[in-house]
C-alpha cells in the first residue's frame, strides 16, 4: 500500500513535512523498512503549486529515502498546496510513468487502491477515455487510467460528478466481466484551488484516509503522521472531503453514481 | 532513426559484433556522436537465444556506450541468434518498457519506422490486440503495439500472414482517420528458428535494411557495419527476407494486405 | 544489512536459487518488505563464472524484486559458481558503482559489515591501494575499498595472507585514529576456482555467515534460505571457509594478522 | 566537451533559457544530435539560488532532452542566479555523482576540461583535500576533485587565491609525475553573490568561454547561444571573469599561482 500526504495552508518548504518532522513521510518510509508494514521502495513523486498556472512534478523510481534530488528540491520549493507520494508496487512495473502524482493541466491526482480484475477490463476502460487525454497516457497503471477517465468525464467542469461517473463506469464494466474482486479507490485530487479526497470501495476494505486541520494547515494523509489520536480524523468509507484553499473542510457522502 | 543488427550463425559472444569490431554497433553509435547522423542515446536493448525455450533480453535507458552491464553481459553471453538495438527516440518517452527488442514467448521483435498519426488511432489499434497479449503491453510506443497486433493476428501459426494482416489493419485505420502521413515499417522478428526481415512503407521512404551472408554468418542490419560495398545487400522496399537458421536466405515480395 | 548467497556446484540457472525457490534470495527480500527485518531495496548485483576467463556482473539500483532485466538474465545464465547480493544501504549513496559484487580480473567480492569511523580514515586506506587497482575504484563504499586493498596486498598470489594483511592494516589505521567503533567484515570472494568466506569482527557482532553442502552443491549465505536447522552450518566468528570448486569445505581459524 | 550556461540577473524561470529559446541549451543539445558536434547525452544538471541559504541542484543521467522532471522543475523554478550543464563524458562513468554542477554549502561549481594524466595523480590530489570536504566526495571525476581542492584551499575566504593555489598544486603534481598532457580548466563557480569564470590551460587549447551582458542580464556560456557575433564576448585564455550580482563584469588576468 502506498503512503502519501497532501498539504494545504500557508506556503511552506516541502521538506518540512516530507523529510524533517519526526514523523515525516520519508521517516515513515524508513521506519517501514524496519517494521511490520510494507516497505515503500518502488518510487515516489511530489507535485506542487507555485506561481505557474500548472503544478510542477518530480517523480523517480529510486527509493525516496536515498534520492539526493528529492532532498534538494524539497528543500528549495515552497508551496501552499502540494502532494507527496511513496509507492509500494502492487505488481505493475517500476517506471517513472507509473509514479504518482499524475498531472494534467492544472490537476494533480494520486491514488491508493486498485481495480479488481484490472487486466480483464483495462482496454474497455481505456476505450472510455477521450482521445485528447489518452494521448497523454504514458504508463500502464489503473491509477493513471482512472485519472484520465475522470478528466474525460468532466473533471474540469464538475469534479464530484466526474469521479462518481468514472467509478460507476468502472463498477459497471467489472459487473459485466463478472469480476469478483473489489474496486478500491482512496484518492486525492486538486485543481489548485479545490481539493477532493475520496475514500471508497465496493467491499469493506477501502484504503485508509485521514485528515487534520490545525493552525490553518490542512493535512490529508493515507496514514497519520504521528500518534496523537485527538488531532487526526479518519474519513469514513463512502465519504468525500471537499475543501477550497483556506476555507473549512466539508465532508459529504460519496456515491459512485 | 534507430540502429540495429540481427546475427544468425555459429554461436559467438555478443560483444564480438556489438562492441569489438571497428564498425561494431556501439562504435557506430559513438561515431554518430561525432558525425552528421542522429545520435542513438535514448536507450538500447539486446535479445538472444541460448539454451532456454524463450529468449533473454536486457534493455536499459542509458546511452549504450556507457553501460557497464551491457559490456559485461555481451562479453559473457554466446548465442547463435541474437539482436541488438540502439534507440533514437522519435518522441515517446525514454523508459525501459519502450526499448527494443520486445519479447513475448519465443518471439523477439524490433522495429524502425512509425505509424503516421499514431496518437489519433492508437486506441483503435489497441482494440485489435487480443487480451492475453494486451496485458503484457508495458509501454506506449507504436513499435510495441504492432508487435502485439502481429501476435494477435497469428504470428505463431503463420508469421507472413500475421504481419501482412497487421499492417493492412493499420493502413485501413489510417485511411479511415484520413491520416496523410505514411506508415513505415522496417522490422526484424524471429521465433528462434525462422527469421523475418521486412522493409515496407506506404510512401517512398521505408527505413533502410541490409543483409550480408559470409562464412555461414547472416547479419541483418539497419545500416551496413562497414563500407565494403560488395558484401552488403540492400533489401528493396516491399520485400521480406525469410530464412531458417543455418539455411539460405530467401527474399520474397511483401504485400501488406 | 545486506543479504547474499554464493553457489558452487554443477552448473544451474541462476534463477533457480535467486528467484524460484520458496526461500530464494528475492523471496527473502520480498518477505523482508513484510516483516521485521530491514528491507533490501537499495540495489542488487549478480556475478557469475561461465566460459570466459573473467566473471560477468550485472548490478543495478532498482529494488531487485522489480527488475525485469535481472529476471531475464538470471533465467538465461547457467553457472557453476555465482554470487547474488541484495543491498540495504548503510548510508552511502545508491549507485551502480556501490553495488556488490565487485569484480576485478578473475575475482569477485562481496561484503557485509563496515569499517568503523570510515570517513575519518577513508583516505588513509585509499593511500594503501596500488595505483593499477585504484584507477578502477568507481564508488565510495568501504566494501569496494577493502577489495582493492586486498588486491594490492597480493590477493592473486596468497589470498589468505592478503585478506589478513588488509584487515590488519585497517585495524591499525583505526587504532591510530582512536576509532571506537568496530571493524566488521563478513565476506565471500573467489577467483573462479577457490572460494573464501570470512566472518570476522573486532567486536562481538560479526555479520552472520552460513553454509550448506548437499548433493555436491555448496551454498554460502548471509542467512539461511530455509528453516531446516540441520543442514545449515553457522561459521563461527574468526573463522574462514576455504574451498576449491568441487572439493570439500575446510574451515580454519582466521586471524587478521 | 560539455555545454553549459550561467545566468545572473532578474529572477526568471529556468526553462526560459534552458528550454524555450530557439538557441536554448537543450535545443543546442538536440541540434548536436543532428550536427557535427559531440552529443551531450551523458547526463545533465541544474543548480540555482532561490530563497534558501544554499543552492538547490537537480542532476540525472538521462539525456536532458528526454527528462520530464527537468522540464517540469525548470518550468516552476525562478531564480536570479543559476547554472545548467549538459554532459558529454570524457571517459568517467555516467552516474549522478559525476554530473555537474557540484554543490557544497553555498557554492556551486561546474567545469569543462580535464587534468592530464588524471589516473596517475588522482590520489595525490585527493591527499590535498581536507577531510571535512573529502567525506562529501561521491564520484570519481577530476571536476569534483578540483572543486573540493578549491574548497580546501580557502574558497570561502579568498576565491581567487583558492583557485590559483589549486591549479598550481595540480600543475606541480603533474610536473612531478612527468605528465605530458595538459591541464585544461574552464570553469564557473559562485557562492550566490559573486561569480567567477575562469578560462585556463597549460597548453593552447583551453575550452571556450563566452559572456554576454544585455538588459541587466549576464550570461556566461561554454558556447554562444546564438549567432549574433556582436553581443558575445570571448574570454581570452588566462583570464578570469569576476562579478558581483547586479554589478558590472570585471575581467582580470588569471595566473595559476
Amino acid at each position: 500500500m502506498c503512503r502519501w500526504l497532501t498539504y494545504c495552508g500557508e506556503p511552506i518548504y516541502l521538506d518540512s513535512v516530507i523529510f524533517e518532522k519526526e514523523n515525516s513521510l520519508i521517516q515513515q518510509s524508513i521506519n517501514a523498512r524496519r517494521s511490520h508494514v510494507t516497505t515503500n521502495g518502488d518510487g515516489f513523486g511530489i507535485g506542487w503549486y507555485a506561481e505557474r498556472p500548472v503544478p510542477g512534478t518530480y517523480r523517480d523510481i529510486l527509493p525516496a529515502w536515498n534520492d539526493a534530488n528529492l532532498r534538494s528540491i524539497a528543500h528549495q520549493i515552497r508551496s501552499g498546496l502540494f502532494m507527496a507520494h511513496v509507492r509500494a508496487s502492487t505488481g505493475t512495473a517500476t517506471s517513472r510513468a507509473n509514479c504518482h502524482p499524475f498531472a494534467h493541466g492544472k490537476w494533480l491526482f494520486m491514488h491508493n487502491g486498485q481495480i479488481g480484475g484490472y487486466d480483464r477490463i483495462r482496454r474497455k476502460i481505456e476505450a472510455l477515455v477521450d482521445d485528447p487525454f489518452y494521448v497523454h497516457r504514458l504508463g500502464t497503471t489503473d491509477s493513471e487510467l482512472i485519472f484520465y477517465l475522470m478528466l474525460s468525464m468532466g473533471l474540469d467542469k464538475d469534479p464530484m460528478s466526474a469521479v462518481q461517473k468514472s467509478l460507476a463506469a468502472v463498477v459497471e464494466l467489472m459487473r459485466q466481466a463478472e469480476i469478483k474482486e473489489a474496486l478500491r479507490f482512496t484518492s486525492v485530487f486538486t485543481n489548485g484551488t479545490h481539493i477532493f479526497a475520496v475514500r471508497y470501495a465496493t467491499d469493506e476494505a477501502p484504503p485508509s484516509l485521514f485528515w487534520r486541520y490545525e493552525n490553518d494547515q490542512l493535512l490529508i494523509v493515507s496514514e497519520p503522521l504521528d500518534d496523537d489520536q485527538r488531532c487526526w480524523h479518519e474519513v469514513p468509507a463512502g465519504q468525500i472531503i471537499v475543501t477550497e484553499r483556506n476555507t473549512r473542510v466539508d465532508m459529504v457522502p460519496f456515491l459512485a453514481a
Side-chain angles (χ1 to χ4, degrees), chain A residues 92-93 97-98 118 122 126 137-145:
Chain A
T92 42
N98 286 344
Y118 173 56
R122 171 177 160 194
E126 288 174 347
R137 175 146 159 86
L138 296 178
T140 55
T141 61
D142 50 358
S143 299
E144 185 196 27
L145 182 52

Side-chain angles (χ1 to χ4, degrees), chain A residues 33-219:
Chain A
R33 298 172 80 196
R34 297 176 186 147
S35 75
H36 268 281
V37 299
T38 304
T39 301
N40 300 95
D42 296 326
F44 65 85
I46 54 174
W48 70 93
Y49 294 86
E51 301 167 2
R52 293 279 206 176
V54 298
T57 57
Y58 172 58
R59 308 184 298 172
D60 209 347
I61 56 176
L62 292 173
W65 55 77
N66 252 329
D67 191 80
N69 286 329
L70 176 62
R71 203 167 281 270
S72 186
I73 292 165
H75 186 68
Q76 294 292 330
I77 291 173
R78 200 152 61 150
S79 169
L81 176 53
F82 62 87
M83 295 179 172
H85 186 278
V86 287
R87 185 165 180 256
S89 166
T90 54
T92 42
T94 298
S95 78
R96 283 189 184 176
N98 286 344
C99 290
H100 304 229
F102 299 99
H104 186 85
K106 63 188 180 184
W107 287 94
L108 283 178
F109 170 86
M110 62 186 177
H111 170 241
N112 234 355
Q114 60 193 77
I115 297 174
Y118 173 56
D119 282 347
R120 294 162 56 198
I121 57 170
R122 171 177 160 194
R123 234 154 5 140
K124 291 198 172 69
I125 305 172
E126 288 174 347
L128 299 177
V129 175
D130 287 345
D131 273 334
F133 300 114
Y134 194 69
V135 296
H136 294 286
R137 175 146 159 86
L138 296 178
T140 55
T141 61
D142 50 358
S143 299
E144 185 196 27
L145 182 52
I146 293 181
F147 178 45
Y148 285 119
L149 182 59
M150 285 161 55
L151 285 160
S152 303
M153 295 287 186
L155 192 61
D156 260 334
K157 292 190 183 156
D158 186 343
M160 293 284 278
S161 166
V163 64
Q164 286 168 340
K165 283 186 198 165
S166 297
L167 297 187
V170 171
V171 167
E172 174 58 21
L173 288 173
M174 291 170 70
R175 194 192 59 75
Q176 289 173 13
E178 299 182 358
I179 289 167
K180 302 294 178 221
E181 302 106 282
L183 167 69
R184 293 180 188 140
F185 179 84
T186 295
S187 169
V188 178
F189 47 98
T190 173
N191 57 9
T193 55
H194 290 77
I195 302 158
F196 306 85
V198 178
R199 186 176 182 212
Y200 176 77
T202 59
D203 68 358
E204 304 301 310
S208 60
L209 183 65
F210 294 83
W211 62 282
R212 188 180 77 186
Y213 192 78
E214 278 188 345
N215 306 321
D216 296 329
Q217 295 186 320
L218 172 66
L219 276 171

